Amino acid sequence: MLNRPPGIAFITLGCAKNEVDSDKMRARVLRAGFEVVADAAAADAVIVNTCSFITEATEEAISTILEVLDLPRVAAGEARLVVTGCLPARYGASLAEELPEVSAFVTCADEDQIAEVLTELLVGQGNGVGPGGCPTPSPGPTQRTVSAPWAYVKIADGCDRRCSFCTIPRIRGHYHSVPADEIVAEVAELVDGGVREIVLIAQDTGIWGHDGCQGDVGPRTPAGGGWGEPPPNPTAGSKQT
C-alpha cells in the first residue's frame, strides 16, 4: 500500500495533436490528486499515448509498449501500463488479445476518463492510496509537457473527407469543432501561464465551425462505423522471451 499519491509518467508519440491530448490528460490526472513524474521506471503507472497513422508510427508504438513492459516495476506487476490514443482507437478491443500485459487501453474518444481509469487500476484494486476524488468534467488549466514560449491549441479533431489513403476518420472520428468559448478559455489560461505564441492545430483548420461549434461537440465515434482492422502483431517486435 502506498503512503503517497501514485506517480504517473507520460510517453507521447506522434503529432502535435497527441501532445495536446497528453497535456489535457496530465491536467486531469493532477486534478484527481495523482502526481506526474518524469521517470517511467519509477512510476506507478505509465501512459503511452500512441500514434498509428502510418505503418512506421504503429511499429514505433508497439516497440515503445514492449520497452515499457520490460521496465522492472512493470514486469514485476508493481506498476501499470496504460495505452492511449490512436493505436487502441484504430485496432479496437482485439488489441487486448495481442497485448494482455497492458492494464488498460483508452481510445482517443475516452481520454477524458483517464483519471477514472487510473483510479480503478491503482486504487480500486487496493494497489495504492486513493487520490483526492474524481476529477470534474473540465480538464482545468493545460499542463505543459514542453517548456516553451509557444503552445499548440487544438481547435478541432477528426475528419470527414474519407481519403482512400488516410486512416484519420477511422481513428479520430467525424470532424468536430471545439466550441469557441473553450478555445478562448484555453488560450487565456496558457497566456496567463507565460505563453506568448499560440499555434492553432486540427486535421483541417480551414473548416473550423462548419458543424456549428456550439455547446457539447458529442462523442467521437469512428466515421467508418466500426473498427474493422486486424491488430498489429506485437510478437514481430524485438522483445525477447
Side-chain angles (χ1 to χ4, degrees):
M1 182 71 70
L2 299 175
N3 57 4
R4 54 171 175 75
I8 314 299
F10 283 84
I11 298 174
T12 302
L13 308 174
C15 67
K17 292 188 289 294
N18 266 14
E19 292 183 26
V20 173
D21 292 342
S22 288
D23 282 344
K24 293 188 175 182
M25 284 193 285
R26 281 176 35 128
R28 292 182 183 279
V29 164
L30 289 169
R31 290 192 66 179
F34 296 97
E35 291 184 353
V36 172
V37 299
D39 184 5
D44 299 299
V46 181
I47 296 173
V48 179
N49 193 15
T50 61
C51 176
S52 63
F53 179 54
I54 58 177
T55 299
E56 289 80 2
T58 299
E59 291 173 348
E60 180 186 26
I62 294 296
S63 177
T64 302
I65 290 168
L66 296 178
E67 289 175 5
V68 174
L69 288 172
D70 277 339
L71 292 175
R73 296 197 71 225
V74 177
E78 298 172 0
R80 304 289 188 239
L81 169 59
V82 178
V83 175
T84 66
C86 297
L87 192 71
R90 180 172 182 178
Y91 295 105
S94 56
L95 193 61
E97 300 176 5
E98 301 292 340
L99 291 165
E101 305 94 336
V102 175
S103 298
F105 293 94
V106 180
T107 67
C108 305
D110 294 327
E111 287 176 350
D112 59 350
Q113 301 298 314
I114 189 64
E116 287 87 343
V117 171
L118 291 171
T119 297
E120 176 64 24
L121 291 175
L122 298 175
V123 182
Q125 298 179 2
N127 295 309
V129 172
C134 291
T136 62
S138 171
T142 300
Q143 300 296 319
R144 300 288 295 150
T145 57
V146 178
S147 178
W150 51 269
Y152 295 115
V153 171
K154 187 163 63 173
I155 64 171
D157 208 353
C159 186
D160 292 331
R161 295 191 184 277
R162 308 296 294 275
C163 301
S164 61
F165 57 84
C166 183
T167 58
I168 289 298
R170 182 184 298 277
I171 295 171
R172 293 277 179 174
H174 291 286
Y175 190 93
H176 47 281
S177 303
V178 176
D181 56 347
E182 293 184 17
I183 297 172
V184 171
E186 183 173 350
V187 169
E189 289 167 351
L190 288 166
V191 170
D192 287 344
V195 171
R196 291 296 174 261
E197 180 179 349
I198 300 295
V199 182
L200 303 180
I201 59 172
Q203 194 64 31
D204 188 343
T205 57
I207 60 172
W208 175 87
H210 85 292
D211 52 352
C213 66
Q214 298 296 325
D216 187 2
V217 297
R220 291 179 284 179
T221 55
W227 308 118
E229 289 192 47
N233 181 7
T235 61
S238 58
K239 183 179 179 181
Q240 302 295 320
T241 58

